[in-house]
Amino acid sequence: MADTRDGLKPMNLDHTRFAAFLAARLCHDIVSPAATMSLSLEMLDSPGSPEEKAHSERTLREGAQSVAATLQFLRYAFGSMGLQPGTADVHQFRKLTDDYVRFQKPSIEWDIGSTELGFGHARLIMNLVMVGLTCLVRGGVIHVRVREEGGVKNVVLTCKGDRVILKEDVARALVGDEPESGWRPENIQPLFAKMTCDGLGGTLTARATPDGVVIMATGLKPQT
């Protein structure tokens, strides 16, 4: 039987490939707004009407805001900030997530209650939101609910929209199984979410329902 202690089963994904795929996935989020900014700068340097110049300036501003929001979000969700001990600032990680989602098609709703969250819990929620975005290809709503029961935390994301899809490779990656198409940058982030959940002692599941997709991280222990 394959060793599953690090969340990788079967064991055919070495750390070098994992890091390369994850880096490629994160760079993908930056490329689109950065390319838009570059095109807007070219338009500003080219002859054009005042209306065209104004449009290019607005597009450039929006691209810069998107890049800044994405970088700050990814820094928390994947960088060392999400590894800090202690209690996370719920307002901060919510704002970072709101700013990131604002440039995507879906919207987000929060129901965290009064429970305290560690940086690892916040990091997991941010990664689950990224998974939820892949389910809402035509927009919709991601509802995030967090509750604490019996000393453990449970996170439930409900994704609803006009066209909600739980892709097979995403569903398999969330439980640590290699997708049929193999590991790629397009499906590596759900595996990172699973590994983050494992680190908190929790169990990660996802299922399609008649109303949408439900993603659950249950039994999350206090961060140590």
Side-chain angles (χ1 to χ4, degrees):
M1 180 179 294
D3 187 350
T4 62
R5 286 174 297 175
D6 63 355
L8 304 181
K9 60 174 187 176
M11 286 296 293
N12 56 358
L13 178 62
D14 61 52
H15 298 297
T16 300
R17 292 173 64 222
F18 175 78
F21 291 161
L22 190 60
R25 169 63 180 83
L26 303 186
C27 289
H28 176 271
D29 279 10
I30 304 297
V31 167
S32 180
T36 299
M37 292 174 61
S38 178
L39 180 60
S40 297
L41 285 172
E42 291 180 7
M43 295 297 293
L44 285 172
D45 291 336
S46 301
S49 66
E51 291 78 12
E52 291 173 332
K53 296 291 186 181
H55 175 74
S56 297
E57 289 179 0
R58 287 194 301 270
T59 304
L60 178 62
R61 186 183 302 274
E62 291 173 359
Q65 292 172 344
S66 177
V67 168
T70 300
L71 286 173
Q72 292 191 54
F73 175 86
L74 297 179
R75 175 173 173 262
Y76 198 130
F78 295 92
S80 59
M81 188 173 184
L83 296 176
Q84 299 179 72
T87 303
D89 183 335
V90 174
H91 173 76
Q92 180 189 32
F93 97 81
R94 275 185 50 174
K95 184 179 186 306
L96 291 175
T97 307
D98 287 339
D99 289 346
Y100 173 71
V101 174
R102 183 163 61 91
F103 294 97
Q104 316 293 326
K105 290 183 179 180
S107 59
I108 188 167
E109 298 175 347
W110 298 95
D111 180 13
I112 294 181
S114 59
T115 184
E116 290 187 347
L117 297 173
F119 284 95
H121 300 111
R123 180 187 224 189
L124 174 60
I125 292 170
M126 295 168 91
N127 270 273
L128 295 183
V129 168
M130 292 185 72
V131 175
L133 290 172
T134 69
C135 300
L136 297 170
V137 294
R138 292 187 178 177
V141 178
I142 300 173
H143 182 82
V144 182
R145 185 178 189 272
V146 183
R147 290 293 185 272
E148 183 169 348
E149 301 174 2
V152 297
K153 293 178 175 61
N154 300 311
V155 179
V156 179
L157 269 72
T158 305
C159 308
K160 296 183 178 181
D162 293 336
R163 184 185 177 191
V164 188
I165 299 176
L166 177 59
K167 298 178 181 178
E168 183 179 357
D169 59 344
V170 171
R172 294 186 61 158
L174 285 173
V175 296
D177 285 331
E178 182 179 11
E180 290 187 3
S181 59
W183 294 112
R184 298 174 291 113
E186 293 81 4
N187 58 36
I188 203 69
Q189 186 271 325
L191 177 61
F192 183 82
K194 183 257 192 300
M195 295 170 68
T196 305
C197 185
D198 287 349
L200 295 167
T203 300
L204 187 58
T205 60
R207 70 180 191 276
T209 72
D211 295 328
V213 170
V214 177
I215 305 168
M216 301 178 63
T218 57
L220 302 172
K221 298 177 181 178
Q223 187 175 355
T224 57

